[in-house]
Amino acid sequence: GSMTEASAAVIMGSPRREQVLDDLFLPPAAGGAGVSVVRVPIGASDFALEPPGAYSYRDSEAAPFDASRDEALLVPCLQAAKRRCPHLTLIGSPWSAPGWMKSSGSLVGGSLRPAMLPQYCRYLLQAVLFWQSHGLPLHAVTLQNEPFHGWAKYPCMTLDEGQQARLAALLSRLLRANGLATRVLGHDHNYSLVKRAEALLAAASPGDIDGTAWHAYQGRP
């Protein structure tokens, strides 16, 4: 499942919050659904709260990294989930780089500016460290949610196979240099685009990408 800002708000705002968390994250033997793998947006997704709307962890080049917005809902909700499921596996996924790093200058649309690749890698590293500092280590990060879908009216960004391969090379090395075991997953898009996943794996150097992530909106496994 996915834990977005909106879903965390629903859970944490429910008068039956503890029961909902038990139902979702306790193991079946204890009466729960046994959810044990959760996808977490890195910054805003299409399920950010309105208002205040879309956000990143660094909203301008001059601004410091700041993920405090996710401390209000996502962090406590996932910490509560982890208390019920100690082996909870978290996968972080960015819907967009910060707007100032992109060709569009916005969280919506556009692509990553090539010169921003090193800065974006450091941004993703800081996101991994943020979640880890709250006792919520990311088992993996995907390079980009739906990297071939860049025309939505919510945070999105295109990232072609070559860009993904270059990002994976820098990010995997940066994670290892900082002593992190977080894995790097590519593609993160539909089964119908399997040829593009194959092209990514062909473009990437061995060891830079640990696997691929998939969506079931179109195509079959």
Side-chain angles (χ1 to χ4, degrees):
S2 293
M3 186 68 74
T4 64
E5 186 181 45
S7 56
V10 171
I11 292 171
M12 299 305 283
S14 171
R16 301 180 63 248
R17 176 178 64 193
E18 299 302 317
Q19 184 63 55
V20 171
L21 288 163
D22 287 348
D23 290 345
L24 287 170
F25 296 104
L26 285 178
V35 174
S36 61
V37 179
V38 174
R39 189 171 184 236
V40 184
I42 293 175
S45 71
D46 44 331
F47 290 98
L49 294 178
E50 295 280 1
Y55 64 102
S56 76
Y57 291 160
R58 191 177 170 200
D59 287 333
S60 73
E61 190 167 7
F65 182 90
D66 181 6
S68 59
R69 176 161 160 178
D70 281 344
E71 292 175 330
L73 292 167
L74 275 170
V75 167
C77 192
L78 288 168
Q79 288 174 333
K82 193 171 178 65
R83 287 194 293 271
R84 292 159 170 83
C85 178
H87 59 282
L88 186 68
T89 298
L90 300 177
I91 299 173
S93 293
W95 264 242
S96 174
W100 57 272
M101 296 186 187
K102 298 168 59 184
S103 61
S104 65
S106 165
L107 289 172
V108 177
S111 59
L112 185 68
R113 291 161 50 204
M116 292 291 104
L117 192 61
Q119 288 206 56
Y120 188 44
C121 280
R122 289 193 291 273
Y123 172 87
L124 293 175
L125 170 66
Q126 288 175 301
V128 172
L129 293 172
F130 164 78
W131 287 103
Q132 181 167 287
S133 72
H134 289 285
L136 299 165
L138 298 182
H139 172 75
V141 291
T142 73
L143 296 169
Q144 170 63 32
N145 173 68
E146 298 180 348
F148 310 117
H149 179 64
W151 54 89
K153 295 182 180 180
Y154 52 78
C156 62
M157 180 175 80
T158 56
L159 200 69
D160 67 27
E161 295 90 340
Q163 290 174 306
Q164 288 187 63
R166 291 188 290 275
L167 178 58
L170 287 178
L171 182 59
S172 61
R173 289 163 176 74
L174 191 58
L175 291 168
R176 289 195 293 268
N178 283 270
L180 296 164
T182 304
R183 299 178 181 182
V184 175
L185 303 179
H187 191 60
D188 201 6
H189 213 148
N190 291 323
Y191 290 119
S192 59
L193 298 172
V194 63
K195 295 296 184 183
R196 302 205 72 160
E198 291 172 349
L200 166 61
L201 295 176
S205 298
D208 288 345
I209 292 181
D210 297 292
T212 49
W214 297 89
H215 295 203
Y217 299 116
Q218 295 178 354
R220 294 184 178 183

